Amino acid sequence: ESSGVPKGTKVKDTILAEAAAKAGLRKHLPRRVGRGDVANSLEALLGHAWLKKLISMDEIVSCLKASSLNPAEDFARLAELALSKIRP
């Protein structure tokens, strides 16, 4: 049932930072960037790609619903998709 109010859960910075490293996003960031900033950059990448309509909500959901037992792998897959759409 849709209530019109966004619902979600917090994803730990460690998971997002691991996903950023797996997706190759880490190499585009300065060397001395902490885990929290790496996680924030992944969130910014995904937000930018979605707001610019480069990725759809269906694509986001399908990446995150993958059968992987490791959420970092699912987020890495999503980050790779976003990166591929931003820089063709």
Side-chain angles (χ1 to χ4, degrees):
E1 178 180 326
S2 177
S3 65
V5 178
K7 294 181 182 179
T9 184
K10 170 98 172 92
V11 178
K12 291 182 180 182
D13 284 351
T14 54
I15 292 172
L16 294 177
E18 181 183 342
K22 286 182 179 187
L25 179 62
R26 183 72 179 94
K27 67 183 175 189
H28 297 286
L29 301 173
R31 284 188 193 176
R32 302 199 73 163
V33 174
R35 183 183 303 143
D37 290 330
V38 173
N40 290 342
S41 68
L42 178 59
E43 291 172 343
L45 168 72
L46 298 176
H48 174 77
W50 184 69
L51 288 172
K52 293 292 184 179
K53 299 188 185 329
L54 299 174
I55 57 175
S56 69
M57 189 58 70
D58 289 336
E59 289 173 312
I60 294 170
V61 170
S62 68
C63 284
L64 296 179
K65 282 180 63 177
S67 60
S68 171
L69 296 177
N70 182 356
E73 290 179 15
D74 298 334
F75 277 100
R77 189 177 309 109
L78 180 56
E80 289 168 356
L81 175 66
L83 282 171
S84 72
K85 301 278 181 113
I86 288 175
R87 51 180 180 143

